[in-house]
Amino acid sequence: MGTIFEKIVAREIPADIIYEDAKHLAFLDIAPLEKGHTLIIPKKAYLTVMEMPETDFCELMVVVHKLAKHFEKTLHCGINILNNSGEIAGQEVPHVHIHLVPRREEKSIYNKKAHVNYLPNEMEIYKNKLKL
Ligand code: 5GP
């Protein structure tokens, strides 16, 4: 079977590919948040970034960095670099992908003002829980 992105890697379905190397592919998102919205994927079908060995994740980030610099130079834009890991986090395609969204205007793709409030002392609890 395989995911839709595995089919793109295998050239079984078309995509507008803008970058490829032995381990990665980058192509335009079919439903862009902004023009030029791109998805960068490892060719190996990991489900989430947490599943990836550190070396593979770092290699993916090197490609993200390369393309982000290229976008900035080419489109004169700012960039949102996003990843949704897990269904609860909004991941729709079960194959790791990093969103590169060129930003040329103030329109926010997510609501920065939508925050939650900690109960008294709860921030301290989270700090201790998440300390590594
Ligand atoms: P997610 O919500 O999983 O982080 O993002 C999945 C992204 O994949 C969405 O932005 C969606 O538009 C894109 N997408 C889903 N199917 C296809 C496809 O067949 N081709 C391309 N190019 N993008 C796709």
Side-chain angles (χ1 to χ4, degrees), residues 64-115:
V64 169
H65 186 231
K66 194 197 298 266
L67 285 174
K69 287 195 297 181
H70 175 58
F71 277 33
E72 183 190 37
K73 201 167 148 200
T74 311
L75 300 176
H76 309 288
C77 61
I79 297 169
N80 285 124
I81 298 171
L82 307 164
N83 167 256
N84 301 318
S85 282
E87 251 179 87
I88 194 78
Q91 182 177 5
E92 283 172 13
V93 179
H95 182 137
V96 166
H97 50 284
I98 309 293
H99 296 257
L100 221 61
V101 187
R103 300 294 305 280
R104 278 159 289 202
E105 49 190 91
E106 273 300 316
K107 189 180 71 172
S108 187
I109 56 170
Y110 57 93
N111 186 355
K112 285 187 196 157
K113 294 208 169 77
H115 66 269

Side-chain angles (χ1 to χ4, degrees), residues 5-54:
F5 291 172
E6 279 178 272
K7 291 188 171 66
I8 288 175
V9 170
R11 306 301 203 271
E12 286 166 22
I13 62 166
D16 295 286
I17 295 168
I18 63 157
Y19 175 86
E20 180 167 24
D21 65 30
K23 292 184 170 178
H24 309 96
L25 198 67
F27 50 90
L28 299 184
D29 195 298
I30 207 166
L33 297 171
E34 298 281 354
K35 291 171 187 171
H37 180 169
T38 291
L39 301 173
I40 305 165
I41 65 165
K43 287 183 178 175
K44 192 165 174 186
Y46 296 112
L47 176 58
T48 67
V49 296
M50 291 81 90
E51 212 181 66
M52 298 178 81
E54 194 175 278

